[in-house]
């Protein structure tokens, strides 16, 4: 995708809250995938961010992505941005930045789930919040009408049956939906595409 957009005159970059050496992204994203630039953990002043695990949190990562898009827009450049989020990646630890079970459910209640699943769900709810914040920020900086957002997952949670429920009544799903948010789509057209 990066090469295709670059050929069409777009500035292309990928951004990740982990190090550039992880999966050798610092080299591969530019040399093989064709991005103009890959931005990794080394490019951030980490003292300014709350970290999740040891990575830049997704709320700040997505805001920084949009700031780069806005900067390039002011220079008259179209942008293809490829942010890679991390909050839904293992370890699903009990991070204080994540919402509580009561905040997720909207009430206090007893749930027959193990701790790892609860922490996983907390991470999912946090990512949902981050994406919502990013979409609001796109509106705020005036880029929403000229931006297509595509969301996808590259793999499942990798949790076992025992990680989900104590009674092992659960499901396995390796399908990862793609969702497009495109300016001008009618509400009924905004749906998951498999």
């Amino acid at each position: 995708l990066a090469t295709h957009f670059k050929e069409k005159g777009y500035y292309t970059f990928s951004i990740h809250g982990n190090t550039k050496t992880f999966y050798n992204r610092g080299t591969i994203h530019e040399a093989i995938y064709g991005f103009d630039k890959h931005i990794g953990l080394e490019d951030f002043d980490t003292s300014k961010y709350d970290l999740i695990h040891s990575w830049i949190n997704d709320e700040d990562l997505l805001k920084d992505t949009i700031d780069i898009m806005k900067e390039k827009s002011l220079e008259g450049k179209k942008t293809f941005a490829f942010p890679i989020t991390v909050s839904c990646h293992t370890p699903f630890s009990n991070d204080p930045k994540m919402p509580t079970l009561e905040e997720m459910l909207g009430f206090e209640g007893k749930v027959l789930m193990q701790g790892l699943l609860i922490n996983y769900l907390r991470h999912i709810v946090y990512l949902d919040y981050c994406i919502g914040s990013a979409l609001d920020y796109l509106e705020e900086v005036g880029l929403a009408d000229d931006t297509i957002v595509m969301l996808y997952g590259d793999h499942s949670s990798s949790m076992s049956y025992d990680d989900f429920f104590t009674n092992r009544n659960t499901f396995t799903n390796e399908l990862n939906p793609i969702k497009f948010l495109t300016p001008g789509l009618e509400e009924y057209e905004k749906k998951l595409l498999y």
Side-chain angles (χ1 to χ4, degrees):
L1 283 176
T3 301
H4 173 74
F5 278 101
K6 201 168 169 179
E7 289 170 356
K8 302 286 183 189
Y10 284 69
Y11 172 75
T12 63
F13 72 98
S14 61
I15 183 169
H16 192 284
N18 199 350
T19 64
K20 292 179 180 182
T21 58
F22 189 73
Y23 285 127
N24 202 18
R25 282 191 178 106
T27 301
I28 291 172
H29 279 222
E30 295 174 17
I32 296 175
Y33 296 158
F35 286 96
D36 290 309
K37 183 171 184 162
H38 174 71
I39 301 166
L41 184 65
E42 304 86 343
D43 297 309
F44 296 96
D45 176 359
T46 57
S47 67
K48 295 180 180 178
Y49 299 94
D50 291 328
L51 300 182
I52 290 186
H53 314 308
S54 58
W55 310 314
I56 302 295
N57 73 77
D58 290 340
E59 183 177 13
D60 289 329
L61 181 88
L62 293 172
K63 184 178 183 301
D64 286 354
T65 300
I66 294 167
D67 286 341
I68 294 167
M69 293 167 60
K70 180 66 176 179
E71 175 186 314
K72 295 300 178 185
S73 174
L74 292 173
E75 295 172 6
K77 297 179 183 174
K78 297 181 284 186
T79 304
F80 172 70
F82 190 82
I84 303 166
T85 60
V86 296
S87 59
C88 290
H89 200 285
T90 57
F92 303 119
S93 58
N94 189 5
D95 192 300
K97 192 160 181 65
M98 303 299 160
T100 65
L101 185 60
E102 290 76 21
E103 290 169 331
M104 290 188 309
L105 298 175
F107 62 89
E108 284 192 49
K110 192 166 191 164
V111 179
L112 298 175
M113 291 185 279
Q114 294 186 12
L116 183 61
L117 177 59
I118 292 169
N119 287 337
Y120 170 70
L121 293 175
R122 291 174 69 205
H123 282 70
I124 294 294
V125 169
Y126 173 72
L127 179 60
D128 182 66
Y129 162 78
C130 293
I131 292 169
S133 294
L135 294 175
D136 289 344
Y137 191 55
L138 277 170
E139 288 277 352
E140 183 183 320
V141 300
L143 293 177
D145 290 339
D146 295 320
T147 301
I148 296 172
V149 177
M150 184 179 97
L151 308 170
Y152 79 99
D154 66 341
H155 57 77
S156 70
S157 68
S158 302
M159 293 195 300
S160 70
Y161 285 116
D162 291 334
D163 294 328
F164 276 94
F165 297 98
T166 55
N167 66 6
R168 298 175 64 100
N169 256 340
T170 190
F171 58 90
T172 305
N173 182 0
E174 282 292 333
L175 289 176
N176 293 291
I178 296 175
K179 179 157 182 118
F180 291 91
L181 304 173
T182 308
L185 276 185
E186 296 298 322
E187 190 62 35
Y188 67 89
E189 292 178 301
K190 294 180 182 178
K191 59 186 178 182
L192 292 177
L193 305 171
Y194 293 91

